[in-house]
Amino acid sequence: PKPQNPNLFKIAIIFTNMEYILSFVGVIVILYFIAFAYSKGFESTKKFEKNILFVLAHPDDECMFFTPTIRALKEKSNLYILVLCNGGYDGLGKERTVEMARAAREQGFRGHKVIDDEKCKDGPWIWPAEVVQKQVEDHILERRQQGVDIKTIITFDDGGVSHHPNH
């Protein structure tokens, strides 16, 4: 049997498709407003200290893992970087130290330091926490003597981003 009103069937299909389209557009609009509100809230409520120290394991960690953070903060803060080893596992520690100096200048850091300590060599091992703590404390005191009061430290989380043991 033929449907009595084939146009009614077509209209029902159009309305069903419209529901999906409107639902999709609605979700996009809601996500946009959430993202907008979050980004504005982040900008206006997060107050960063004037002097920020990045504490990283190797030269190149700053560009591999922290570039968006560096770019976001360098306009409003003075950035400093402490690198806990020269990345010389492959014998290129001196070259990587020179590269780090150049990268620090290019990225807008006000100061940088690369440490080459036998207790914190680049490689597949975990560094002693007390040695790392002392290096960071000594560096902060050194900066304070230069008139730079570090109040914020940015570093890796517990997983070290890439799960490298030095991170």
Side-chain angles (χ1 to χ4, degrees), residues 53 142 146:
L53 176 65
E142 183 181 313
Q146 298 168 354

Side-chain angles (χ1 to χ4, degrees), residues 124-135:
W125 38 80
I126 297 173
W127 295 333
E130 61 278 357
V131 173
V132 171
Q133 179 181 346
K134 177 137 179 47
Q135 289 174 341

Side-chain angles (χ1 to χ4, degrees), residues 31-80:
L31 289 175
Y32 172 79
F33 281 112
I34 290 171
F36 181 77
Y38 176 76
S39 67
K40 288 297 182 192
F42 182 79
E43 262 315 298
S44 63
T45 61
K46 298 289 183 184
K47 302 297 182 198
F48 295 98
E49 295 293 332
K50 181 179 177 187
N51 299 311
I52 298 174
L53 176 65
F54 283 79
V55 177
L56 307 177
H58 315 100
D60 78 10
D61 285 348
E62 81 291 345
C63 62
M64 289 177 60
F65 305 113
F66 292 95
T67 297
T69 305
I70 292 166
R71 286 185 177 174
L73 294 175
K74 75 179 181 179
E75 299 301 321
K76 297 181 180 181
S77 301
N78 302 320
L79 304 183
Y80 300 86

Side-chain angles (χ1 to χ4, degrees), residues 92-111:
L92 299 174
K94 289 181 183 179
E95 291 86 350
R96 293 189 72 193
T97 299
V98 171
E99 290 171 355
M100 181 67 245
R102 192 171 32 230
R105 279 192 307 275
E106 289 292 323
Q107 292 187 38
F109 284 94
R110 301 263 175 133

